[in-house]
Amino acid sequence: MDDEYEKFIRRMNPPRVVIDNESCKNATIIQVDSANKHGILLEVVQVLTDLNLVITKAYISSDGGWFMDVFNVTNQEGNKITDEAMLDYIMKSLGPDSCFASSMRRSVGVTAGMDHTSIELIGSDRPGLLSEVSAVLTNLKCNVVNAEVWTHNTRAAAIMQVIDEEHGGAITDPERLSTMKQLLCNVLRGSNKLRDAKTIVSDGVSHTERRLHQLMFADRDYERTTGEGLDDKDRPNVNVVNWQDKDYSVVTIKCKDRPKLLFDTICTLTDMQYVVFHGNVDAEGPQAHQEYCIRHVDGSPVKSDAERQRVIQCLEAAIERRVSEGLKLELCTTDRVGLLSDVTRIFRENSLTVTRAEVTTRAGKALNIFYVRDSSGYPVDAKIIESVRQTIGQTILRVKGNIEELNPVPQESPTRFLFGGLFKSRSFCNFGLVRSYS
């Protein structure tokens, strides 16, 4: 009945979207007016974020049953949005004909899909974990076509989309899926008996980044002991106070700006069952400032100091999860079964641990991003990075970021000839895989 009532209200009060490229000299203004409901702010932010738009300013108001948001957005180069196809997509995605009203349910649930199998993983982080997970999947004749991996506060979460090596579709055999879940759980659990590990296998899709936040939130990665996490100078400044006159709790966030920051904070507040009634976001400089007037869905502000501390910890964790610690490496080559396993094994054998990863496959090409650091905690050695690049291929694996700090090693790596054909054939798969999961 609630769903039917929402549809009725939506038909009576269809969303209105106004896109203005004239009023602001350095940004496109997008205004969205709609009947209000819980989660609508996240849905709008999610649409804009998925288009890789940068939100430099935002004004939020949702009192009185009506939702009105104004966003100043640019593309990744800092320019206004002038592409007609993208502007048309924004209008259709957020306007009267949109279906984003149901995207909340899609993002947290699973819908049927036959092109791949989706795997959700959560467990204790450790050096070489991604290598071992990838080795298990390769040994089960699964090809990883898309994946995103986050690590935070000794925990690791991943969503991986795999296809069957033989027929290139989703894996449907129940026995094979059960074996996959068991082996992956063994790898994730490792030697840590105090924390649980979880593997969920489905034939559906979800909004990857939203789901990663939910997995880590449910795993309570926001709980930390003194001294863990980022240095104090890098840690976000989050504060929560009650505005007694208005019966709101006011959340203020000050931290270094980065892509998708607004999505991460709104996602967390929504998943914690808080409603943003008013908000102001300013991210035009290197620092981002966010201020929200919130209440719990039951209508109450933050009731206790313990609740206040939990809100602060959860927002800090949401901001930190996507912070990329380590050296950024980009890999681009022809995709094949076992590619991710081979690359991450080379990382592990050179004492590199992956702190975050984005794996994508487009038109038969693997486009992967890895953030790596030394397993011992020391700064990454330039000679090791150069040796890894020569092993994999210098044109295939590129260093991004602080490349000037890496001193090139002119001599040939002795392993180059051994692994020279690594990316030209599947023969490397026969060298033997990590079997610590057995």
Side-chain angles (χ1 to χ4, degrees):
M1 290 297 295
D2 289 342
D3 192 47
E4 290 302 315
Y5 180 72
E6 277 186 15
K7 292 178 181 177
F8 172 74
I9 294 297
R10 187 176 176 81
R11 285 195 299 268
M12 296 298 294
N13 302 279
R16 185 172 71 95
V17 180
V18 177
I19 300 179
D20 178 7
N21 259 327
E22 303 298 328
S23 301
C24 181
K25 65 178 181 180
N26 56 5
T28 297
I29 299 176
I30 300 175
Q31 179 177 320
V32 182
D33 298 334
S34 174
N36 192 27
K37 72 181 183 67
H38 180 56
I40 190 172
L41 173 60
L42 175 59
E43 293 169 7
V44 174
V45 171
Q46 183 172 301
V47 168
L48 299 178
T49 303
D50 286 348
L51 290 170
N52 288 322
L53 300 180
V54 178
I55 302 173
T56 58
K57 284 183 178 291
Y59 308 92
I60 301 159
S61 179
S62 61
D63 263 344
W66 194 256
F67 167 85
M68 185 185 75
D69 265 12
V70 179
F71 301 93
N72 286 22
V73 303
T74 68
N75 59 21
Q76 292 291 315
E77 289 73 39
N79 301 319
K80 292 184 179 183
I81 313 304
T82 56
D83 182 81
E84 291 297 331
M86 181 173 288
L87 293 174
D88 184 61
Y89 180 85
I90 292 172
M91 290 291 293
K92 290 180 178 178
S93 298
L94 301 179
D97 299 328
S98 71
C99 57
F100 78 88
S102 61
S103 65
M104 177 73 72
R105 287 180 287 277
R106 290 200 307 272
S107 67
V108 300
V110 170
T111 57
M114 294 305 294
D115 57 338
H116 67 262
T117 296
S118 181
I119 306 171
E120 298 178 358
L121 308 170
I122 185 76
S124 298
D125 186 30
R126 67 177 185 275
L129 179 60
L130 180 58
S131 172
E132 295 183 38
V133 168
S134 303
V136 170
L137 294 173
T138 299
N139 201 39
L140 292 172
K141 300 188 182 304
C142 301
N143 187 31
V144 179
V145 291
N146 292 290
E148 186 141 356
V149 182
W150 289 1
T151 62
H152 178 250
N153 194 21
T154 75
R155 304 301 286 169
I159 295 181
M160 312 180 86
Q161 297 174 357
V162 302
I163 59 175
D164 182 79
E165 174 185 350
E166 185 176 346
H167 61 76
I171 298 162
T172 57
D173 178 33
E175 184 176 345
R176 188 176 174 192
L177 291 174
S178 178
T179 300
M180 181 187 299
K181 290 177 65 174
Q182 184 60 52
L183 294 178
L184 290 173
C185 262
N186 291 343
V187 169
L188 290 167
R189 192 174 293 113
S191 60
N192 190 339
K193 307 301 182 183
L194 300 178
R195 295 294 294 267
D196 193 20
K198 187 179 295 184
T199 302
I200 301 172
V201 180
S202 69
D203 60 353
V205 294
S206 61
H207 188 274
T208 300
E209 294 164 336
R210 174 81 192 282
R211 189 66 185 137
L212 283 169
H213 275 302
Q214 291 174 332
L215 288 171
M216 301 202 91
F217 173 73
D219 195 48
R220 304 172 74 90
D221 75 313
Y222 52 85
E223 294 179 343
R224 69 171 119 232
T225 59
T226 304
E228 290 180 333
L230 298 177
D231 295 336
D232 287 341
K233 62 181 180 64
D234 297 321
R235 182 170 293 176
N237 184 344
V238 182
N239 194 27
V240 180
V241 297
N242 281 352
W243 186 4
Q244 302 294 348
D245 293 344
K246 300 293 185 180
D247 214 26
Y248 290 128
S249 292
V250 180
V251 177
T252 56
I253 301 171
K254 296 180 181 179
C255 64
K256 184 178 180 181
D257 190 31
R258 60 161 176 77
K260 303 187 178 182
L261 178 63
L262 179 60
F263 171 83
D264 294 338
T265 55
I266 296 297
C267 182
T268 297
L269 288 172
T270 303
D271 285 341
M272 293 182 73
Q273 299 297 301
Y274 290 103
V275 179
V276 176
F277 286 88
H278 300 281
N280 185 27
V281 176
D282 185 351
E284 285 193 311
Q287 293 291 313
H289 300 262
Q290 300 180 9
E291 185 176 80
Y292 306 112
C293 295
I294 67 169
R295 293 184 190 134
H296 196 266
V297 288
D298 64 8
S300 65
V302 173
K303 298 177 181 178
S304 65
D305 187 60
E307 183 183 356
R308 186 179 77 86
Q309 288 299 325
R310 185 168 182 265
V311 172
I312 291 173
Q313 288 179 336
C314 290
L315 286 171
E316 286 179 346
I319 294 168
E320 293 172 3
R321 285 173 196 143
R322 208 193 291 262
V323 173
S324 303
E325 297 181 15
L327 185 68
K328 182 178 180 181
L329 303 177
E330 290 187 358
L331 180 142
C332 180
T333 189
T334 302
D335 186 43
R336 62 168 176 79
V337 176
L339 175 62
L340 182 62
S341 175
D342 294 340
V343 172
T344 53
R345 185 173 73 161
I346 291 172
F347 289 163
R348 179 175 55 83
E349 290 171 345
N350 284 274
S351 298
L352 298 177
T353 185
V354 178
T355 61
R356 191 160 75 88
E358 300 172 18
V359 176
T360 57
T361 304
R362 299 174 188 167
K365 284 283 188 180
L367 307 170
N368 302 344
I369 297 175
F370 303 97
Y371 292 88
V372 300
R373 61 185 178 188
D374 190 272
S375 299
S376 62
Y378 293 104
V380 176
D381 191 312
K383 293 181 180 179
I384 291 178
I385 293 296
E386 200 61 27
S387 175
V388 168
R389 290 188 63 217
Q390 290 184 14
T391 299
I392 294 174
Q394 291 185 327
T395 60
I396 293 173
L397 186 69
R398 298 180 181 273
V399 179
K400 299 294 181 179
N402 299 326
I403 192 170
E404 68 277 359
E405 297 178 5
L406 298 176
N407 299 317
V409 181
Q411 67 269 23
E412 293 285 351
S413 168
T415 58
R416 181 173 184 180
F417 302 103
L418 177 61
F419 299 118
L422 173 62
F423 297 92
K424 296 179 182 178
S425 71
R426 298 170 181 249
S427 60
F428 191 66
C429 296
N430 299 323
F431 278 33
L433 297 165
V434 178
R435 296 190 179 275
S436 61
Y437 56 83
S438 59

